[in-house]
């Protein structure tokens, strides 16, 4: 019975991951926790808008990268390929809905909703004829993704809840956490990226040097955690310590479901713990 429950949980998590519902939830809870770190009352409406943006952007990204998924995530390609038109429609509808929500609740934050799409477009473009595309520069994917989601999950709550003094600290904190998460996924995709000629950090440096660099980056947010006011300090410190744990555990390639649960599920678990502590 226990094995059946575990198998059912794995199938559910795999479904949520392949449909981008899990990453959408990550956007929701990351925005919620960013608000808490900022000392701002979290807005469920703002969190919902970021959920829709996250779901849309990552669904579109998966549809574009279906060919690459042959080597890295064959099950994902198998699931999405026959349903690509359905998910394309869902992704576009989700983005439009997120924009309409932002127009209604906080119009001045509307441009921030489009930051992930704009960042993705610039990432694949050659801005000047004599310059390489950002896509062709190693590690730029991680920088672009980390920056885009830090802006969305931190600055939208700032504009919604008013100026908060530690917003730059929280912006850096979320950027580093997101950057680390993207590199951990590159470790998962190492074999496929080598085969495709994609120059990610693990491909260039190797697995262990990459892990050591991630541990160093995680250490840079330790003093940031200590500088945050009130309850944000303890929460950020706990998330930093948790970062050391999952970097060490995921230094080797693991089951993709376990990776999603430990990395993207971090923000959901943090929110659950926070709610339990508040209820106690």
């Amino acid at each position: 019975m226990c094995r059946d429950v575990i198998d059912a949980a794995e199938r559910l998590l795999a479904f949520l991951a392949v449909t981008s519902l899990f990453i959408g939830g990550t956007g929701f809870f990351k925005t919620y926790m960013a608000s808490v770190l900022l000392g701002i009352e979290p807005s469920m409406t703002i969190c919902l808008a970021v959920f829709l943006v996250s779901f849309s952007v990552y669904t579109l990204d998966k549809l574009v990268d279906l060919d690459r998924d042959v080597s890295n995530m064959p099950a994902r390609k198998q699931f999405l390929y026959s349903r690509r038109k359905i998910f394309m429609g869902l992704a576009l509808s989700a983005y439009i809905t997120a924009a309409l929500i932002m127009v209604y609740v906080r119009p001045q934050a509307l441009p921030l909703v489009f930051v992930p799409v704009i960042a993705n477009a610039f990432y694949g473009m050659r801005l000047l004829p004599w310059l390489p595309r950002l896509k062709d520069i190693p590690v730029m994917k991680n920088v672009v993704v980390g920056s885009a989601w830090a802006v969305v999950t931190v600055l939208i709550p700032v504009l919604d809840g008013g100026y908060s003094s530690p917003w730059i600290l929280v912006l850096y904190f979320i950027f580093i956490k997101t950057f680390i998460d993207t590199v951990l996924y590159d470790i998962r995709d190492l074999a496929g990226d080598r085969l495709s000629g994609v120059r990610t950090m693990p491909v260039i440096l190797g697995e262990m040097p990459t892990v050591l660099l991630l541990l160093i980056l995680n250490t840079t947010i330790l003093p940031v955690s200590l500088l945050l006011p009130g309850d944000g300090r303890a929460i950020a410190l706990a998330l930093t310590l948790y970062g050391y744990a999952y970097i060490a555990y995921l230094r080797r390639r693991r089951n993709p479901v376990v990776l999603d649960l430990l990395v993207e599920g971090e923000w959901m678990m943090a929110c659950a713990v926070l709610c339990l502590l508040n209820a106690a």
Side-chain angles (χ1 to χ4, degrees):
M1 182 180 295
C2 186
R3 182 68 254 178
D4 290 341
V5 171
I6 293 174
D7 288 343
E10 286 187 349
R11 288 194 296 271
L12 175 61
L13 286 170
F15 172 79
L16 293 175
V18 78
T19 57
S20 297
L21 290 171
F22 197 81
I23 194 69
T26 299
F28 182 100
F29 290 106
K30 188 181 289 188
T31 305
Y32 186 99
M33 291 306 301
S35 300
V36 173
L37 296 178
L38 288 162
I40 296 172
E41 183 67 27
S43 165
M44 295 297 105
T45 307
I46 295 295
C47 292
L48 174 61
V50 178
F51 165 85
L52 293 170
V53 171
S54 304
F55 167 79
S56 179
V57 168
Y58 278 90
T59 297
L60 293 172
D61 186 61
K62 287 173 183 176
L63 293 174
V64 169
D65 283 346
L66 278 178
D67 290 336
R68 182 185 171 196
D69 285 342
V70 172
S71 53
N72 285 334
M73 297 286 288
R76 187 163 79 186
K77 178 178 181 179
Q78 182 180 5
F79 180 86
L80 290 177
Y81 188 79
S82 61
R83 303 172 177 87
R84 57 192 183 280
K85 290 183 179 179
I86 296 173
F87 278 96
M88 178 67 74
L90 289 173
L92 294 176
S93 299
Y95 222 117
I96 292 170
T97 304
L100 291 175
I101 289 173
M102 203 58 62
V103 167
Y104 178 73
V105 299
R106 191 58 57 183
Q108 63 266 40
L110 178 61
L112 297 178
V113 169
F114 299 101
V115 165
V117 170
I118 295 171
N120 197 43
F122 274 103
Y123 174 68
M125 290 171 55
R126 190 183 301 275
L127 301 179
L128 295 171
W130 59 88
L131 290 178
R133 297 180 303 170
L134 293 178
K135 187 175 183 178
D136 299 326
I137 303 175
V139 191
M140 280 308 300
K141 177 194 74 174
N142 312 96
V143 172
V144 169
V145 172
S147 300
W149 290 111
V151 166
V152 170
T153 58
V154 176
L155 295 191
I156 290 180
V158 167
L159 289 176
D160 182 61
Y163 174 79
S164 180
S165 57
W167 71 268
I168 294 179
L169 297 178
V170 178
L171 190 73
Y172 179 76
F173 184 89
I174 298 293
F175 166 74
I176 290 297
K177 292 288 289 182
T178 307
F179 181 93
I180 289 171
D181 293 349
T182 62
V183 176
L184 288 172
Y185 279 94
D186 287 339
I187 292 176
R188 179 200 67 183
D189 295 339
L190 180 59
D193 288 338
R194 278 178 175 163
L195 189 64
S196 304
V198 179
R199 299 176 66 212
T200 62
M201 188 184 296
V203 170
I204 296 170
L205 300 180
E207 290 182 60
M208 287 313 298
T210 298
V211 170
L212 291 175
L213 182 57
L214 294 185
L215 291 172
I216 292 170
L217 288 174
N218 197 67
T219 301
T220 68
I221 59 175
L222 189 57
V224 171
S225 304
L226 299 175
L227 290 172
L228 292 176
D231 294 338
R233 183 183 304 125
I235 294 169
L237 183 59
L239 290 170
T240 303
L241 296 177
Y242 178 77
Y244 286 118
Y246 72 58
I247 291 170
Y249 180 72
L250 296 171
R251 69 187 185 278
R252 301 184 185 279
R253 288 185 292 281
R254 304 286 182 177
N255 184 313
V257 174
V258 173
L259 177 65
D260 285 331
L261 183 62
L262 294 181
V263 176
E264 301 297 349
E266 171 186 12
W267 305 97
M268 304 176 197
M269 291 186 284
C271 286
V273 171
L274 183 62
C275 289
L276 290 174
L277 291 176
N278 289 337

